[in-house]
Amino acid sequence: MNTLLVIRPRAEDVEGQPILRPLPSAKCRSVGPFVFFDHMLETDYPAGKGMDIRQHPHIGLSTLTYLFQGQLQHKDSLGSDQIVDAGDVSWMTAGSAIAHVERTPQTLQESGFRMHGLQVWLASPREREQGPGHYSHHPAATLPVSDSLGVRIRMIAGSGFCLESPVPVLSPTLYAELHLQTATTLLIPAEHEERALYVLSGEVQLGGELIEPHALVVLPAGEELSLFAESDCHAVLFGGAALDGPRRINWNFVASDPAAIDEARRRWAAGDWPTVPGETERIELP
């Protein structure tokens, strides 16, 4: 077996929400279509507080928000206005220009709550980078689950382990939530070209190597690996087909052509961008 590439995330803060960001990294720019990975750490918000990520733009990517605890309201320039519960998938494809808002619903702010979840960006294939935007919401009950011998797999997006999610991904994708009870084993097949494991909690052995919580491990291509739970473990496995060329990331923009990012920056700065209905505040260009 090849040596595992282990990435330690850097700590960041997004509008008051502490996160860990293992991707992108100097060691690894992408895994399959995944170019950005944020772990929103468990955070208790008192009554009257919450997340409020104001209007901001995207191009050339799809965002996927998946919560373990809490709730978010998604609004975008397509007119979408959706409450996203824990276990749901919020999927937004930016195309050539979209803006959105993510905030804690008012009812949850009034009571206080705990937030914990993931948000990832998936680069669009080149032929879809400049296409139309799209939003879809997928309730938890619509996501396929396998539960056997102490191992529970939920397919968040894409396919794997004989499961297929209804989320409309744009390229071959793997994004699975894993729960392993202590002393259970899961064989990770080599059915996707690129794969990585992120451990949310618990300790596991991957191919005999001990992996600690909050580590992202890039799996060697073409190899089946055995995942063994030293303790009750919560993790996600993600990846898919390799990107069809390198991507540039600048602020909230992803593109294969740097000129597209320059144009998006110019348009946002000039106010020449679709707006979210009912929203006036926005995050200005850094």
Side-chain angles (χ1 to χ4, degrees), residues 102-178:
E102 289 181 301
R103 64 166 58 100
T104 302
Q106 185 63 38
T107 54
L108 205 59
Q109 283 196 38
E110 291 171 357
S111 62
F113 66 99
R114 173 171 288 186
M115 174 68 79
H116 184 210
L118 301 171
Q119 187 176 82
V120 297
W121 295 358
L122 294 82
S124 298
R126 286 184 176 183
E127 69 272 13
R128 302 287 293 274
E129 284 183 320
Q130 293 298 309
H134 168 79
Y135 178 76
S136 59
H137 170 250
H138 304 271
T142 67
L143 303 180
V145 173
S146 169
D147 197 344
S148 178
L149 302 175
V151 177
R152 189 171 192 268
I153 304 170
R154 168 178 278 181
M155 194 56 55
I156 301 171
S159 62
F161 302 101
C162 298
L163 303 171
E164 185 168 1
S165 167
V167 176
V169 294
L170 305 183
S171 62
T173 299
L174 166 69
Y175 191 20
E177 180 183 12
L178 310 177

Side-chain angles (χ1 to χ4, degrees), residues 17-36:
Q17 169 65 47
I19 64 167
L20 293 176
R21 183 174 295 162
L23 198 69
S25 160
K27 296 180 179 179
C28 180
R29 305 300 299 175
S30 61
V31 180
F34 293 79
V35 294
F36 190 90

Side-chain angles (χ1 to χ4, degrees), residues 90-109:
S90 181
W91 172 266
M92 185 185 75
T93 296
S96 59
I98 204 168
H100 74 141
V101 167
E102 289 181 301
R103 64 166 58 100
T104 302
Q106 185 63 38
T107 54
L108 205 59
Q109 283 196 38

